[in-house]
Amino acid sequence: MIPYATPAEAEAALGRAMTWAEAAWYQYSAAMPDSWLHCHTTFILFVIYTITPLPLVVLEQFAPSVVLPYKLQPRVRLPLAASLRCYMEAACFFPLAVGFQLVSYPAAVKILRTRMGLPLPSVRETIAQLVVYSLMEDYLSYWIHRLLHTQWGYEKIHRVHHEFTAPTGFAMSYSHWAENLFLSIPALAGPVIVPCHITTQWLWFSIRLIEGINTHSGYHFPFSPSKLIPFYGGAEYHDYHHYAGGRSQSNFAPLFTYCDYIYRTDKGYRYHKLKQAKLKSVEENNVEKKGGSTVFNTRKD
């Protein structure tokens, strides 16, 4: 709750006029308890999780010719009922998360030290914090993911997430409750070490969820971020991890690929890509030979 009764008081405290964003933030949050602003995180993530995967699910079911050319495992078509089951089982955790946030709010305030009031962070500050959070989360998640692929971790916990060998966007949050808990630690590590404004926190978790939905989408489009962002794995990179399943000892990184490269856990993926390239080359050569044979026969006739 912002401790200023009027916008004029807020501007006097700031020593300057509020920006349009700060004025909007004042109007929205001035009378709202901080605990409710804290719980907005779960509501925002629930909306994103519900809406973002839908276009591809709908297109795959009702207009497959539009998207199947870009599907990484085109022979696998997930039934609509399976997508809905995946969504419902994962979505049931969101109401529980709201209750947990309300109960844990006093402790969260001390641990996260999240700012709720004015001023809002600058664009430069926000970008710098997001970069730090991404690198930190990526490194910690890599090692947790490797632990989940030990025999005990996989059989007891991680196998639930790997039920989808050809993943869909809804599979992003389809996991054992313990896995959701463990993987929330890396996501929170950045904001704990480098405290931020609540709006930056919302943005961070939103970006991370959207990115996770993208890597689990099962599609690799020409405009994929992996073509633009250095070391970003994307859907193609993570899809192989699901394709290989429980025996996979490759592609553990959730976001960037540098950890897999440094610790040599991308060998399986590189071999897979090399094998695919050779098969594609053989197919292209066969097509050229058939084409040449057809041309020869046509001239002979």
Side-chain angles (χ1 to χ4, degrees), residues 37 118 258 271 288:
L37 290 174
L118 296 172
Y258 69 92
Y271 173 77
E288 288 177 3

Side-chain angles (χ1 to χ4, degrees), residues 2-24:
I2 294 177
Y4 308 119
T6 65
E9 288 186 18
E11 291 183 339
L14 290 173
R16 57 171 174 79
M18 288 188 289
T19 64
W20 67 268
E22 288 171 333

Side-chain angles (χ1 to χ4, degrees), residues 166-282:
T168 172
F170 287 129
M172 158 62 185
S173 298
Y174 182 83
S175 306
H176 191 283
W177 66 267
E179 180 170 345
N180 286 328
L181 182 62
F182 292 151
L183 290 177
S184 68
I185 296 171
L188 287 166
V192 168
I193 296 172
V194 183
C196 63
H197 195 273
I198 188 66
T199 53
T200 305
Q201 201 174 105
W202 293 345
L203 183 60
W204 160 237
F205 288 124
S206 298
I207 290 172
R208 190 62 191 89
L209 179 57
I210 291 169
E211 187 280 328
I213 291 170
N214 172 55
T215 57
H216 287 84
S217 67
Y219 287 88
H220 183 66
F221 294 102
F223 49 83
S224 169
S226 61
K227 298 179 182 294
L228 303 172
I229 304 173
F231 302 106
Y232 176 71
E236 185 178 20
Y237 193 79
H238 193 69
D239 194 87
Y240 171 76
H241 179 79
H242 276 262
Y243 170 77
R247 56 191 171 85
S248 175
Q249 292 299 317
S250 183
N251 295 27
F252 294 111
L255 185 60
F256 301 112
T257 61
Y258 69 92
C259 280
D260 283 309
Y261 177 78
I262 292 171
Y263 299 111
R264 311 296 291 170
T265 50
D266 59 350
K267 292 181 180 179
Y269 177 68
R270 285 190 285 135
Y271 173 77
H272 174 72
K273 291 289 288 183
L274 184 62
K275 186 178 178 181
Q276 281 188 322
K278 288 182 178 179
L279 289 173
K280 185 178 180 181
S281 178
V282 170

Side-chain angles (χ1 to χ4, degrees), residues 1-2 29 32-41 96-117 198 201-202:
M1 186 179 295
I2 294 177
S29 65
M32 188 176 293
D34 288 349
S35 57
W36 283 108
L37 290 174
H38 181 65
C39 290
H40 275 43
T41 305
L96 296 175
V98 173
F100 178 76
Q101 280 190 307
L102 286 171
V103 171
S104 64
Y105 175 71
V109 170
K110 295 179 180 179
I111 295 171
L112 291 170
R113 294 165 289 164
T114 306
R115 294 186 288 113
M116 306 282 187
I198 188 66
Q201 201 174 105
W202 293 345

